[in-house]
Amino acid sequence: MAEKTQRIGIFDSGLGGTTVLKEMIKSLPNEDYIYYGDNGNFPYGSGKTKNELQKLTERILDFFVKNNCKLVIVACNTASTAAIDYLREKFSLPIIGIVEAGVKIASKNTKNKNIAVISTKFTAESHGYKNKAKMLDSELNVKEIACIEFAQMIESGWDTFDNRKELLNKYLSEIPKNTDTLVLGCTHYPLIRKDIEKNIKIKVVDPAVEIVERATQTLSSLNLLNDKKEKGKIIFFVTGETYHFKPTAEKFLEKEIEIYRIPK
């Protein structure tokens, strides 16, 4: 049986999920977190099959269960698209997927029901958002745009790429004119949100905000919110390099992190 003092597990293919972690820390600062960055198997969004992604994420869930987690957040749109139902069948602990959260926050913000989603190739080609929208808000019209290079560029250092503005303009120009809401459908993209917002005049929404609400509601309904007074502890595990990951995560989170490398 789960206890209040157990941890919250958050995972992503790399750095992107730190955008979700940051929102979680803001709202639930007394919780203990494990962040799993599977950067040794990055990228998830291109070159991997649905079956491969399910097996990778199953291994991560096993890791969270062994490390005493009470709830897991799939902070990766690609993994959420490929594996959320598979993981829920395999594991009994609550699992929150970011694609569902993205559809919910878009539905709350759009005035005319026309939304666009920028994402990885896998999420777009699998129609992760369109399919989830049919289940959660069938009135939504969803345009999915695959920004093939973005996750890799952000993971490696967005500002080091001279062609970033050109690529940004290329993909954002695909947004239909009647769109009033853009979903950042990859957790890496909030890291370049300012650059995105400079190029468009429509509402930009981050599913991480909705994730926090859903996680809080879930823990509260199960009486699992940690009620300790002191701030929680965060431990990072990565399957790839730490030399770039650590300083980038620390800069974004504005704090030093405890990080360990584990086999991929």
Side-chain angles (χ1 to χ4, degrees):
M1 189 172 173
E3 297 178 4
K4 292 180 179 183
T5 54
Q6 288 179 264
R7 300 165 170 139
I8 294 172
I10 299 176
F11 79 88
D12 181 55
S13 60
L15 273 163
T18 56
T19 60
V20 176
L21 175 63
K22 190 171 187 175
E23 292 296 328
M24 288 292 294
I25 296 166
K26 266 192 225 169
S27 293
L28 298 173
N30 303 322
E31 297 287 348
D32 294 320
Y33 297 92
I34 291 180
Y35 183 94
Y36 190 116
D38 197 13
N39 57 345
N41 291 300
F42 182 88
Y44 275 14
S46 55
K48 287 186 175 58
T49 66
K50 184 175 182 178
N51 184 61
E52 286 171 333
L53 291 165
Q54 287 176 344
K55 293 304 176 190
L56 284 171
T57 55
E58 183 179 355
R59 202 163 63 93
I60 296 168
L61 262 288
D62 279 330
F63 182 86
F64 284 143
V65 170
K66 286 172 187 167
N67 283 278
N68 216 25
C69 289
K70 59 186 175 183
L71 175 139
V72 170
I73 295 170
V74 183
C76 172
N77 287 266
T78 302
S80 190
T81 299
I84 193 78
D85 295 330
Y86 174 84
L87 296 174
R88 284 174 177 158
E89 283 176 14
K90 292 263 181 185
F91 298 90
S92 59
L93 79 171
I95 302 170
I96 297 175
I98 197 156
V99 172
E100 292 162 330
V103 172
K104 277 276 177 69
I105 198 167
S107 184
K108 286 177 182 178
N109 281 274
T110 181
K111 299 287 192 296
N112 67 6
K113 296 292 187 179
N114 293 303
I115 72 165
V117 182
I118 51 173
S119 69
T120 65
K121 185 171 183 277
F122 185 95
T123 301
E125 291 185 352
S126 302
H127 302 302
Y129 273 82
K130 269 187 185 171
N131 292 337
K132 200 57 75 173
K134 282 177 191 172
M135 296 163 60
L136 299 176
D137 186 347
S138 59
E139 292 181 6
L140 283 181
N141 296 310
V142 183
K143 169 66 175 178
E144 294 166 302
I145 301 163
C147 302
I148 298 163
E149 304 90 347
F150 280 10
Q152 184 83 59
M153 290 168 70
I154 295 163
E155 193 80 14
S156 304
W158 176 254
D159 291 335
T160 64
F161 290 88
D162 294 336
N163 64 335
R164 64 189 185 280
K165 290 180 181 175
E166 180 189 332
L167 280 172
L168 199 55
N169 288 331
K170 171 189 161 187
Y171 290 123
L172 295 179
S173 69
E174 293 181 34
I175 298 172
K177 295 216 170 3
N178 64 345
T179 302
D180 74 349
T181 305
L182 175 68
V183 180
L184 302 179
C186 171
T187 48
H188 284 73
Y189 298 174
L191 294 165
I192 61 165
R193 181 171 183 158
K194 287 180 182 174
D195 284 352
I196 292 168
E197 288 180 326
K198 280 179 197 169
N199 284 267
I200 54 174
K201 291 185 170 64
I202 59 175
K203 177 89 173 175
V204 176
V205 294
D206 179 1
V209 177
E210 184 70 24
I211 279 271
V212 171
E213 194 173 312
R214 296 195 67 197
T216 304
Q217 286 172 352
T218 301
L219 291 171
S220 180
S221 69
L222 296 170
N223 195 29
L224 287 177
L225 283 168
N226 199 324
D227 49 18
K228 69 178 180 181
K229 298 293 182 277
E230 68 270 19
K231 286 192 174 178
K233 184 177 182 182
I234 309 160
I235 306 174
F236 283 75
F237 294 92
V238 294
T239 57
E241 58 80 17
T242 60
Y243 57 85
H244 173 68
F245 188 106
K246 186 175 188 290
T248 308
E250 287 179 337
K251 183 180 178 184
F252 180 67
L253 296 171
E254 300 175 316
K255 61 171 71 188
E256 283 190 29
I257 65 171
E258 180 182 345
I259 188 167
Y260 301 94
R261 184 169 183 175
I262 55 175
K264 69 175 185 175

